[in-house]
Every structure is written in C-alpha cells, then in structure tokens.
Amino acid sequence: MDLPMRIILAAFSACFLVFASLGAVLAAERWETLPPTPAPLAKGSFADINGIKLYYATLGKGAPVVLLHGGLGNSDYWGLQAKALARRHKVILVDSRGHGRSSRDTKPYGYDLMADDVVALLDKLKIRQADIVGWSDGAILGIDLAIRHPDRVNKVFAFAANTVTSGVKDGVDKNPTFASYIERAGKEYAKLSPTPKEYEAFVGQISQMWATQPSWTDVQLKAIKTPVLVVDGDHDEAIKREHTEYIAATIPGAGLLILPNASHFAFLQDPALFDAALLGFLDGK
C-alpha cells in the first residue's frame, strides 16, 4: 500500500472514531441511561400482613421513613437513598405485595390494598407515624396514604406519580429505557420472588390495575392536609409533565420540583441531587 493511501485510511479511521464517539455521547444522555440496581443494604425479614408475607428491611435510627418502590421493581432500587437517609432516620424498605421477595394472594392488585399493607406493617413495627418516600407506584401509595390514612403519614415525597390513568404517556413500555427496566425487573423477579416463573402473569395482573387506577378526583386531592412534595424528572418516560404540574397545583400547599436531565429513574441517574432534595424536604422545617 503506498503512503498516500495509508494516510487517507488513517484519516478515515480517525474520523470514524470521532464520529462513533460523538454518536455514543449523543445516544447516552443521562436521562436515557438505566444505572445498575444497588445491592441490598440490610438483611430483611418477613411479616404476616393481610394474608401475605411482606418483605421489609430496616436500617438507621431516628424519625421513621418508609421507602416504596415502583411497579415491577423491588426495594433494592432505593439503596442509594436508604444509605443517605439512614444517617438521620430509621429507614424501612418494603417490597410491595407480589413484588421482589414478597408473596401475594388471590386478591386483585390495588393501590388501596397495598397502602393498607404499609399501615399494617407500621402497626407491627409499632410506628405511629412515618414519612413516605415513593417512586411511581410507590408515590401513588404515598398519596393514597395521605388520602385514606392521614394520621399515619407525616410527609410525602412523591416522585413520578400519577393520580389518574390519563396522566401516563401512551406507549411508555416501548420507550427503550423503560423497556430495559421491564426486562431487568423480570430478571430480578426470577431471582427474588417466591414464584420466580410467574413474571409474565405478574405483569399482566399489575397491568390490569394500571388500566383503571388510580382515579382520584380533584375533591379528594384538595382534601389532603399532609405536606407533599411532587417531584419528577424533566425527561420522564412515563408521566406527562402537565399532569405532574396538575398534582402539585391541586394538593393544597404542595411543592413542585422538576429534576434536570433526569427521567423516571432520576434516583439512579442523579442520586446526589435526588438525595439533597429528599433530605431537604424531610428535614426542613
């Protein structure tokens, strides 16, 4: 090969590498990433709750905080936040019924039912009142508790919630990041669940709940007296931005926080900012 051709090929290769690297950067915006699920922080226990075995783990000391994960997930997703909170709080991590390590019975999934599980766990742990930190379905449970069990809730940090089904974007399961989460959740379910081969059935049952719930009215939201901070990422794949703003505008005194360059998984994508917002809300006066 003569020298000019070598120079041309070398230049072409260099340009290709530059464009490939640029493409990788452009294709890997932070809000498009799904960082790893944190490892478990503490050995958990099982509580006999409302006909199921509910998995929970505790760590830290101080004012109690319950962390509630999103649909299809498990409590390990909260590992980074639990570590930060445990410096000042007693942290209670929960696998919602049928999720993670928790079992389920034949009752159809419903937010009221899962919220009642949380109340029963607080009773078992002899905790009169706790802060609730929720992501997605967990945030919906926090709002459910504020509506139906206001005496058991101190504050609610509601990240990526919806209060009616129309607040969810169409085709969210086709979004690449969200689809990756669904696939990962399936692998985690197979590893953790007492019914490891029933993930598809589990997704189908949860999807039936998502099709009709939640369905709260303005009257119900306006009756909430619990301090609530409504939070979401500015690139949430699942929740409509106008719906997040509606929730904050309708719940009396609620705050609104939109996290930049983050999605439905902001607590993994930008844990430093997420944790600062969380601690500022829970520990602020």
Side-chain angles (χ1 to χ4, degrees):
M1 184 182 296
D2 59 22
L3 186 59
M5 181 58 69
R6 288 183 181 179
I7 294 173
I8 291 170
L9 287 174
F12 176 80
S13 297
C15 289
F16 177 81
L17 289 173
V18 168
F19 282 114
S21 299
L22 179 59
V25 170
L26 292 175
E29 296 283 358
R30 187 175 68 187
W31 50 269
E32 294 177 306
T33 66
L34 185 64
T37 307
L41 291 179
K43 184 177 180 180
S45 303
F46 290 91
D48 292 323
I49 298 290
N50 296 334
I52 64 167
K53 290 192 176 299
L54 191 73
Y55 173 88
Y56 70 98
T58 63
L59 63 155
K61 295 181 179 179
V65 180
V66 179
L67 300 182
L68 301 174
H69 60 78
L72 309 182
N74 59 76
S75 57
D76 294 350
Y77 279 84
W78 280 129
L80 303 177
Q81 288 65 49
K83 187 180 294 185
L85 285 166
R87 301 187 189 107
R88 307 180 191 177
H89 295 270
K90 178 184 176 78
V91 177
I92 302 108
L93 293 156
V94 182
D95 284 355
S96 294
R97 66 166 51 222
H99 294 68
R101 306 156 186 86
S102 294
S103 68
R104 64 158 305 190
D105 55 16
T106 59
K107 299 185 190 76
Y109 282 104
Y111 292 112
D112 286 358
L113 177 61
M114 289 193 285
D116 290 346
D117 291 341
V118 175
V119 172
L121 179 62
L122 291 177
D123 288 342
K124 183 177 181 65
L125 298 177
K126 296 180 170 54
I127 295 173
R128 183 76 189 92
Q129 192 174 69
D131 292 323
I132 304 295
V133 176
W135 151 49
S136 196
D137 273 8
I140 295 170
L141 293 177
I143 295 172
D144 189 298
L145 290 164
I147 291 172
R148 298 174 54 249
H149 300 281
D151 57 321
R152 308 306 299 271
V153 182
N154 182 35
K155 293 181 179 180
V156 175
F157 184 96
F159 173 70
N162 61 291
T163 59
V164 290
T165 58
S166 60
V168 178
K169 296 178 181 178
D170 293 333
V172 59
D173 57 320
K174 304 299 189 296
N175 175 278
T177 308
F178 209 90
S180 295
Y181 165 67
I182 294 172
E183 181 182 5
R184 179 191 295 183
K187 294 176 181 177
E188 292 167 344
Y189 182 93
K191 180 181 177 181
L192 300 174
S193 176
T195 55
K197 297 182 179 181
E198 297 182 12
Y199 184 63
E200 287 188 15
F202 165 65
V203 173
Q205 292 156 357
I206 287 290
S207 296
Q208 289 177 13
M209 177 182 74
W210 289 339
T212 59
Q213 299 180 36
S215 58
W216 292 312
T217 65
D218 285 4
V219 171
Q220 287 173 295
L221 296 182
K222 288 177 179 178
I224 292 175
K225 294 182 172 58
T226 303
V228 177
L229 181 61
V230 179
V231 188
D232 205 357
D234 63 350
H235 285 84
D236 193 315
E237 306 89 346
I239 307 300
K240 298 174 182 176
R241 172 69 170 270
E242 61 268 24
H243 183 65
T244 299
E245 294 172 351
Y246 153 78
I247 297 172
T250 307
I251 296 175
L256 174 64
L257 176 62
I258 302 297
L259 301 173
N261 196 22
S263 79
H264 204 72
F265 309 98
F267 53 93
L268 296 176
Q269 296 162 344
D270 191 356
L273 181 58
F274 194 98
D275 294 354
L278 180 55
L279 289 166
F281 174 64
L282 295 185
D283 296 338
K285 301 301 182 183

